[in-house]
Amino acid sequence: MFLEKKKMITTQDIKELRDRTGVSIMQCREALTAAGGDMEKALELLKKKSGDIAEKKSDRTLGAGVVSSYVHGGSIGAMVKLMCETDFVARNPEFKALAEDIAMHVSAMNPEFVSEKEVSDDIKGAIRAGFEAEAASMDKPADLKAKIVDGKVAAYFKERSLIDQPFIKTPELTVGDIIKAGTQKFGERIEVGKIVRVSLVD
């Protein structure tokens, strides 16, 4: 009987995982070790850990932050207000770089809002009503129509919500995943407070 041979973890593996997640070298090494050297499993472990840490810090007060901007070719620009708890983190170059990356994402992907939570009930109701009107003409049972409408509403908001969009630099992670990883990395609650995008072709 042969034992399964674990993949040797190299410095390059650790660097790649750090580049993809932004968390510390030590955390990347631990995740790769726990995953037996499997990069994708290590990524999932870090995503779960980041989510758990972000959840525990979700009630902390956001008292600091940074405003960052990104302009693409002189025709599209975006600004992001990225919030944190203290000036110590707000002054961190890596925190500022995170804000710049999110501004670049906003410029490229044009999300309509930070998250679905900020959308008013009136707008949500109007969106749902539109999909219900589409479903009304379908020759399907009522319960199936309701599921179709729920799916379309969920997809509509997921596509337009910043935190649900695949992050432009690492599409296997969402912007929300990147923010949670930042919470894990900096040890503080981090949240996008506001986004603005301006384009000459809008």
Side-chain angles (χ1 to χ4, degrees):
M1 183 175 181
F2 295 95
L3 294 175
E4 182 180 354
K5 188 176 180 181
K6 291 185 177 180
K7 178 181 180 295
M8 180 181 291
I9 299 168
T10 66
T11 302
Q12 184 59 38
D13 292 333
I14 295 170
K15 182 180 183 302
E16 180 183 342
L17 188 57
R18 188 178 192 278
D19 289 343
R20 290 170 70 176
T21 62
V23 301
S24 71
I25 291 174
M26 182 179 295
Q27 290 169 330
C28 290
R29 184 185 293 114
E30 289 174 354
L32 282 165
T33 300
D38 187 301
M39 183 66 68
E40 297 309 315
K41 287 182 180 177
L43 188 63
E44 287 302 315
L45 288 172
L46 285 176
K47 283 172 66 176
K48 184 179 186 308
K49 185 175 181 181
S50 296
D52 292 343
I53 290 172
E55 180 65 27
K56 290 177 182 177
K57 298 179 186 293
S58 62
D59 60 348
R60 291 189 178 183
T61 301
L62 296 168
V66 65
V67 173
S68 187
S69 62
Y70 177 84
V71 177
H72 180 74
S75 60
I76 301 173
M79 294 184 71
V80 168
K81 179 168 72 173
L82 187 63
M83 305 298 294
C84 58
E85 297 175 40
T86 66
D87 287 335
F88 178 77
V89 168
R91 291 194 297 267
N92 187 307
E94 292 186 77
F95 180 80
K96 293 178 180 178
L98 174 61
E100 290 170 4
D101 280 347
I102 296 173
M104 179 181 66
H105 176 96
V106 171
S107 174
M109 303 307 295
N110 194 19
E112 293 181 22
F113 35 80
V114 174
S115 73
E116 184 181 345
K117 291 186 292 186
E118 71 181 44
V119 181
S120 71
D121 290 339
D122 288 344
I123 293 177
K124 288 180 181 179
I127 297 299
R128 176 170 288 275
F131 287 125
E132 286 174 342
E134 289 180 14
S137 61
M138 296 178 182
D139 184 20
K140 298 183 184 296
D143 59 338
L144 184 54
K145 287 182 181 180
K147 289 181 180 179
I148 290 172
V149 170
D150 287 343
K152 288 194 172 188
V153 169
Y156 178 92
F157 285 109
K158 186 174 183 179
E159 181 181 329
R160 291 161 175 79
S161 168
L162 171 67
I163 64 169
D164 289 323
Q165 290 181 337
F167 184 47
I168 190 170
K169 293 179 74 172
T170 49
E172 66 270 27
L173 300 174
T174 65
V175 176
D177 290 331
I178 297 299
I179 293 169
K180 289 174 184 176
T183 295
Q184 180 180 359
K185 180 177 184 177
F186 299 113
E188 292 190 4
R189 177 186 169 199
I190 293 173
E191 186 174 296
V192 176
K194 188 175 183 179
I195 58 174
V196 178
R197 182 180 184 273
V198 178
S199 172
L200 288 176
V201 297
D202 284 349

